[in-house]
Amino acid sequence: MKKEYLYSPGPTTVPPEALGVMGAPMFHHRTARFRALFAEVVEGLKDVLQTKNDVLVFAASGTGAMEASVANVLSPGDRIVTVNGGKFGERWGQLGRAYRLDVDELMIEWGTAVSPAQIKKHLTDKVKAVYIQLCETSTGVATDVKAIAEVVGKSGAILVVDAISGLLCDELLTDAWGVDIVVGGSQKGLMIPPGAAFVSVSKKAWGLVENSSLPRFYFDFKKAKKSGDKDDTPYTPAVSLVRALRETLALIKGEGRDTMLANAARYAAAIRAGMQALGLELFSQASSNAVTAVRMPEGADGAEFVKKLRDTWGVTFAGGQEALKGKIFRIASMGYLNEFDVLTAVAAVEFTLRSMGVAFTSGAGVKAAQEVLLG
Ligand SMILES: *Cc1c(COP(=O)(O)O)cnc(C)c1O
């Protein structure tokens, strides 16, 4: 009998409250019942994002909302700045090029965070939008969004933040910091299955939408807003996911946004301490509280490690991507987890390293993590 534990940076574990409603009989979305549900969910998302801006919801994985945040605000040939410090920052550049934009792609060393000064250097008058990540999931790096928003806010450009993995783990104050578009997804800190994504759109961003001529159809901000203003969606919404989201948003509200953030910080700190106590090196130089990237010890293969974890103990971590394949593993600490889940993850590392013949003091990782959790 194998019990499954999910520590992947999406999808994450879905709490029973949300699983329950997804099994309930389907109902039609063009109804007062759905509109009431949708209105409640949008309010909840606004609270998570700390924004009064419009929040538009799409039936798509997170990348759909990323694409929407390119296609709705720009015109062919417009200049944008993207930051390639990992797989997801790279995706902003790929999206920009797919839409024939003039992409100024900052190449930074994977594992490091882009600085506000670097962004500032690239912010010429021509730049229409700057695209960054709150958490770069492929490297476990958190970006200083607040400081970058300050820099971008003084320019004519808008700031677009992919907060899909960072949300509810790394702080993000959309309105207070002046972030124009925030992109979120369902299957990470929001604790529901993949398939729903959303954006918040500021006044400044709507100004760009008005003048944008890139092609778009399904992912149309204006259409989504027109329906959204009536608590509706232009096309069939992911009804089951919206239902599930009401449940997890209620859990988040019950726990308190600040408590969620504080817990995420504690869990990530415990994981980092646990890894270091085992003699492992952290990969990120600016640690996110959503996902921790850890270097594999010399001579041990990360791909084998991740496979062994899953096949032997039912524990799912993520491996490294592209150049980091086999070199790192990643433990997500987003959403539905507690102290004991954190200790389980660290213990699973010990079990697997032992089976691979890596030397360390048994229990050292769990002990260090537990010390952090005990406070
Ligand atoms: C998961 C993730 C996405 C979205 O990926 P999908 O597979 O489209 O859901 C985008 N950005 C970041 C930082 C992510 O972690």
Side-chain angles (χ1 to χ4, degrees), residues 209-367:
V209 173
E210 284 307 321
N211 296 308
S212 147
S213 67
L214 283 180
R216 71 198 74 116
F217 186 81
Y218 178 73
F219 293 109
D220 188 321
F221 280 8
K222 278 204 213 166
K223 269 191 268 183
K225 177 170 164 53
K226 195 169 166 218
S227 298
D229 286 346
K230 293 176 279 182
D231 302 324
D232 212 340
T233 56
Y235 309 105
T236 309
V239 177
S240 309
L241 295 179
V242 175
R243 270 174 134 172
L245 192 49
R246 172 164 61 184
E247 300 305 314
T248 56
L249 286 169
L251 291 175
I252 291 161
K253 194 165 183 187
E255 184 81 2
R257 193 178 167 279
D258 292 341
T259 307
M260 298 268 315
L261 285 160
N263 284 344
R266 232 155 37 87
Y267 299 158
I271 290 169
R272 291 194 293 268
M275 297 303 105
Q276 288 175 310
L278 294 173
L280 303 177
E281 215 184 302
L282 302 176
F283 180 72
S284 166
Q285 289 171 42
S287 294
S288 163
N289 294 325
V291 57
T292 301
V294 185
R295 282 187 200 276
M296 277 308 288
E298 206 59 47
D301 176 31
E304 185 195 342
F305 175 78
V306 170
K307 186 172 186 308
K308 258 188 194 290
L309 266 168
R310 181 157 34 212
D311 293 351
T312 314
W313 288 286
V315 173
T316 299
F317 286 5
Q321 295 165 290
E322 301 213 347
L324 298 174
K325 217 176 194 139
K327 303 229 163 53
I328 63 166
F329 63 88
R330 294 172 296 146
I331 309 173
S333 47
M334 25 176 110
Y336 191 59
L337 85 170
N338 68 12
E339 285 79 357
F340 302 107
D341 297 314
V342 169
L343 295 175
T344 299
V346 177
V349 172
E350 294 199 17
F351 274 65
T352 310
L353 287 180
R354 174 60 51 89
S355 75
M356 290 172 75
V358 176
F360 61 91
T361 309
S362 166
V366 173
K367 179 169 189 290

